[in-house]
Amino acid sequence: MEHDLSPATLADLRRPRPYPAVSVLTPTHRREPLNAQDPVRLRNAVAEAKKRLEADPAVTRDRRGEVELQLDRALAEVDLAHAEDGLVIFAAPGEHQVWSLARSVPERVVLSDTFLTRNLVSAHTAERPFWALSVSPDRATLWSGGVDRVTEEHTGGFPLTRAVENFDPERLERVGDQPSAFRDEGTRRFLREADAALGALLREHPRPLYVTGEPAALSLLSEAGGAARDAVHVQHGGLAHGTPDAVWQALRPALESEARRSTEDVRRALEAARGSKRFAAGVDELWQNTREGRIRLLAVEENFRTTVREAGEHLVAAEPGDLDAREDIVDELVEQCLETGAEVRFVPDGALGDADRIAGVLRY
């Protein structure tokens, strides 16, 4: 199942497909007892997609067979044992993808000439993805992180390794110690190579960066003046050969500190916007401004969901399943704001006070 939504991947997902491009969305659950319903719910959603294909006069028999085959292949790839909060299946002639999301999605089947990406984009933004690089004299390991985990990433040439020569017994006998590996020119060169590989990765997949290692290693990376210089440095050795859990525990204090700082930055920006009459809050007001491209910063509480429908020029509250109900209006707003170049920040529940759980800073 897919997790990493790079700009190139998103652009590819948004390109037009031969009709029908099918998007199947279903909420999933991480824990018992709620996850017991997930297999049935998923099979029903795929069955609904096939029913819609069969009922659509614009879909030929051959085309329907192609897409149904891709849906079956996608279904076989789903690993509900590692489910998160939402699942998205994309299927079109000759291709399929399965995305696991750390944010719930409305149950939905859509047939179009493009895939439905708004929920994917919103979940990716809420996940706050980051990179972490752990370095040692003989290994540089890349980790991909989100709100509650890290996993080792095999991309961009990582992990990088080198053979380290045995210690010098004559030196040890002569001076009674062994020189630091980080004073060795081979180690310096290795760390510069790791930094260069990291820089190439960040150009293709930009994310916030954390670097872990012994103080001497972090100092060398700063001296190199490359991609790792401006990262958040965490002084913790041994993680280049460590486990994902060990890396997560080492990074957690720095991540929590950055999250608090980010939330305070958002609060200050919103307060300043109130004073300069560039503040907007609530789904309806933000929807109006988003359509005009006026949002510069959108702040959303992490678990905010609401269902609305259009009533003339405004949005009003609705119940899921109502005619013309829009269950993923928050995801729509997030995607539209990102499309117009706005910054989107997810903050803890309750952080926005009286702003109806969603607020923005206007450009004008």
Side-chain angles (χ1 to χ4, degrees), residues 134-155:
S134 297
V135 294
S136 71
D138 64 339
R139 184 179 175 92
T141 304
L142 180 69
W143 309 92
S144 176
V147 292
D148 60 359
R149 69 183 184 279
V150 298
T151 56
E152 185 174 352
E153 190 78 11
H154 294 264
T155 190

Side-chain angles (χ1 to χ4, degrees), residues 158-171:
F158 290 100
L160 297 178
T161 59
R162 67 184 277 258
V164 179
E165 296 179 1
N166 293 330
F167 70 90
D168 181 350
E170 293 183 1
R171 174 186 170 88

Side-chain angles (χ1 to χ4, degrees), residues 206-343:
R207 295 184 187 180
L209 174 65
Y210 296 79
V211 179
T212 77
E214 295 181 29
L218 300 179
S219 177
L220 286 176
L221 286 169
S222 294
E223 290 173 10
R229 180 185 60 183
D230 298 324
V232 177
H233 287 190
V234 177
Q235 294 186 7
H236 195 302
L239 296 179
H241 296 272
T243 64
D245 184 62
V247 175
W248 172 252
Q249 294 302 329
L251 290 175
R252 192 170 180 176
L255 292 167
E256 291 174 348
S257 176
E258 286 295 302
R260 288 191 296 271
R261 182 192 60 77
S262 177
T263 300
E264 285 305 312
D265 287 348
V266 169
R267 286 195 183 115
R268 283 194 291 268
L270 292 173
E271 192 61 34
R274 285 180 188 268
S276 59
K277 310 299 184 184
R278 291 182 294 111
F279 176 81
V283 169
D284 181 50
E285 189 175 350
L286 287 165
W287 182 62
Q288 303 286 339
N289 285 286
T290 297
R291 289 190 300 173
E292 299 171 5
R294 296 182 62 195
I295 306 295
R296 181 175 67 80
L297 168 67
L298 179 72
V300 186
E301 293 189 358
E302 289 170 344
N303 294 301
F304 178 48
R305 290 288 191 187
T306 188
T307 301
V308 299
R309 60 179 175 81
E310 291 187 48
E313 294 296 317
H314 295 276
L315 298 179
V316 297
E319 294 296 325
D322 283 357
L323 185 64
D324 297 328
R326 297 164 75 163
E327 297 181 45
D328 51 358
I329 186 63
V330 175
D331 289 353
E332 286 189 53
L333 289 171
V334 168
E335 184 177 51
Q336 289 177 25
C337 283
L338 290 170
E339 283 288 291
T340 58
E343 182 180 7

Side-chain angles (χ1 to χ4, degrees), residues 54-92:
E54 187 172 2
D56 192 333
V59 182
T60 66
R61 180 178 179 180
D62 288 345
R63 183 61 57 83
R64 183 175 74 246
E66 286 184 47
V67 178
E68 288 180 346
L69 175 63
Q70 297 299 328
L71 285 169
D72 289 338
R73 288 175 174 172
L75 190 59
E77 292 178 11
V78 173
D79 181 9
L80 289 176
H82 297 91
E84 296 177 277
D85 302 304
L87 190 74
V88 176
I89 291 176
F90 295 134

